Amino acid sequence: MNDKDAYTIATLGSHCSLQVLKGAKDEGFRTLLICERQRLNLYKRFKFIDEILVVENFSEILDQTCQQRLMESNSIIIPHGTFIAYLNSEKIERISPPIFGNKWIFRWEADRGLKQRLMEESKLSIPRSIGSKDDIEDLCIVKLHGAAGGRGYFLAWDKKSFDEGVEKLIKNNTIKGEEELYIQEYVSGVPAYLQFFYSPITKEIELMGIDRRYESDIDGIGRIPSKQQLAVHLEPSYNVVGNIPLVLRESLLCEVYAMGERFVEAASRLVPPGMMGPFCLEGIYDREGKFITFEFSARIVAGTNLYLEGSPYSGLIFDEPMSMGRRVAREIKIADGKDILQQIIT
Ligand code: AMP
């Protein structure tokens, strides 16, 4: 089929769905939002959403009726952070409607071991992982598995501080046991999230934007003087509430592109058909300006919401406002026009 109007761009109502569907509409597609009833009041305001499929819970996307509606409307699903958080890799792999990009790579994003392997094969500098709480000697960050948006992360510097953190997470029902946690060397420096798009059609990597996250309450703790911090035993948390735009020193951009290219190359070897579409390398610039990658996202990240009208980087590539959502829709349009849509969906 070669008529772009015949395709519908669909996604879950959360994360970056507004940007994705606005971009799809700008590229001439029909749009469909799978929306939890409690959020209907928000999403029904936006005229660029053609159809809203109301569900009680996102996991209903696996139900026959929901999948059938997506198939009937000739939908292509755009996966984002909420999509992979609600549906585990196994469920995503079983979904019948086509997913933009490589759905097999989400397993590599969700599983710590696979994630580490892909980063190592990409020759990225990564923080040391600490095998056991008995090996904690320096400042460490303790993380939960999966796309938790920093929720529940805590800092530990010895076994005792680790155990105390675990106890709190168990008490507030965030985890059942410490085996759900992952300990990583704490890298000091400043965080940066590098937003890329890789086109399997042009075989080129595009740097679309850079952001940093605004996290509660680690970004608020500096507003409290140290005397009071110490008095009330403040423990930082890393819950993302928003994103802040960032531009890098131009001299850092060479390595940014090189890292993106190495990631794409490694993904093509390890997870065929490779990295397609948006992805993000997430890390810390240390005092030497070296980037230590602590995570990647193998799909669109919410930090791209900053750049609905384009970014200081997308503006160097496109002569029109190009959000990441719109870039995805553009890729689908180009692939459809060349009759190679099957190469960019799974
Ligand atoms: P994430 O959910 O992995 O994006 O990380 C949430 C927060 O933890 C961000 O503020 C990161 O800067 C911070 N973070 C994650 N890993 C590390 C690390 N190894 N060293 C220092 N900060 C980290």
Side-chain angles (χ1 to χ4, degrees):
M1 199 177 314
N2 236 335
D3 177 3
K4 71 179 163 59
D5 294 329
Y7 288 104
T8 299
I9 301 297
T11 199
L12 300 189
S14 186
H15 195 265
C16 56
S17 60
L18 291 171
Q19 182 213 147
V20 164
L21 296 191
K22 172 72 168 62
K25 183 50 73 182
D26 288 343
E27 289 298 301
F29 287 96
R30 229 181 90 77
T31 58
L32 184 152
L33 187 82
I34 300 151
C35 180
E36 286 186 333
R37 191 175 300 283
Q38 62 198 18
R39 294 195 183 170
L40 192 54
N41 195 31
L42 167 69
Y43 288 107
K44 70 182 185 196
R45 294 165 201 270
F46 302 101
K47 305 280 178 287
F48 54 82
I49 304 177
D50 294 318
E51 180 178 348
I52 298 188
L53 192 54
V54 180
V55 293
E56 298 308 322
N57 186 288
F58 283 140
S59 55
E60 279 175 46
I61 191 177
L62 297 169
D63 293 353
Q64 199 54 37
T65 42
C66 194
Q67 291 204 42
Q68 196 161 341
R69 179 67 205 118
L70 290 170
M71 297 296 272
E72 279 165 9
S73 56
N74 216 5
S75 284
I76 298 171
I77 299 174
I78 313 300
H80 55 50
T82 305
F83 183 79
I84 65 163
Y86 269 80
L87 310 173
N88 60 29
S89 326
E90 210 171 283
K91 286 175 182 161
I92 294 173
E93 287 163 11
R94 270 196 285 123
I95 278 185
S96 313
I99 292 179
F100 174 76
N102 179 0
K103 68 180 174 186
W104 312 104
I105 205 165
F106 299 131
R107 194 174 277 280
W108 291 67
E109 179 178 333
D111 181 296
R112 279 283 163 200
L114 292 176
K115 175 173 259 179
Q116 178 134 345
R117 183 159 165 229
L118 184 46
M119 293 199 291
E120 281 169 1
E121 295 262 345
S122 308
K123 299 191 176 59
L124 299 170
S125 297
I126 56 178
R128 213 159 30 89
S129 49
I130 318 289
S132 141
K133 61 183 178 183
D134 298 312
D135 300 332
I136 302 177
E137 284 172 350
D138 277 317
L139 191 60
C140 292
I141 183 160
V142 185
K143 301 181 170 189
L144 277 74
H145 288 268
R151 187 178 288 274
Y153 288 11
F154 67 91
L155 300 181
W157 49 95
D158 56 15
K159 194 171 161 183
K160 183 166 169 280
S161 54
F162 175 86
D163 285 336
E164 283 166 6
V166 169
E167 201 183 312
K168 277 188 201 143
L169 288 184
I170 292 177
K171 224 178 238 167
N172 66 21
N173 287 326
T174 307
I175 56 165
K176 291 202 172 65
E178 63 186 64
E179 60 287 349
E180 292 173 48
L181 299 172
Y182 175 80
I183 315 169
Q184 199 174 65
E185 166 198 7
Y186 186 89
V187 182
S188 64
V190 289
Y193 291 71
L194 313 173
Q195 307 162 4
F196 297 98
F197 185 93
Y198 177 70
S199 167
I201 301 174
T202 62
K203 306 220 178 320
E204 276 186 32
I205 198 159
E206 296 160 11
L207 176 64
M208 293 293 285
I210 303 176
D211 72 294
R212 57 158 298 189
R213 293 183 182 168
Y214 199 40
E215 294 159 333
S216 189
D217 53 3
I218 186 71
D219 288 318
I221 274 180
R223 296 161 59 89
I224 303 170
S226 60
K227 191 171 130 194
Q228 282 81 357
Q229 286 187 20
L230 290 169
V232 294
H233 301 289
L234 275 181
E235 293 278 359
S237 64
Y238 294 82
N239 192 20
V240 180
V241 293
N243 302 80
I244 302 172
L246 188 70
V247 284
L248 291 179
R249 285 174 65 166
E250 198 162 307
S251 56
L252 296 173
L253 290 181
C254 254
E255 181 57 14
V256 167
Y257 278 94
M259 289 189 295
E261 280 169 355
R262 292 202 301 272
F263 184 80
V264 166
E265 187 279 322
S268 73
R269 269 187 292 117
L270 296 175
V271 206
M275 187 67 251
M276 304 190 285
F279 69 98
C280 183
L281 298 183
E282 313 175 358
I284 308 268
Y285 276 101
D286 72 10
R287 58 178 66 183
E288 265 86 49
K290 184 175 166 198
F291 191 72
I292 319 291
T293 312
F294 55 75
E295 293 274 358
F296 68 79
S297 296
R299 35 83 195 169
I300 187 168
V301 289
T304 59
N305 288 342
L306 284 166
Y307 304 122
L308 206 67
E309 294 299 317
S311 80
Y313 297 105
S314 68
L316 301 171
I317 310 171
F318 299 97
D319 291 326
E320 58 194 316
M322 187 59 69
S323 69
M324 189 68 95
R326 186 169 186 180
R327 181 66 188 86
V328 169
R330 177 70 57 93
E331 190 79 351
I332 293 171
K333 195 157 91 175
I334 294 170
D336 187 36
K338 292 178 181 287
D339 231 356
I340 52 170
L341 191 64
Q342 293 310 317
Q343 291 181 17
I344 61 160
I345 57 176
T346 45

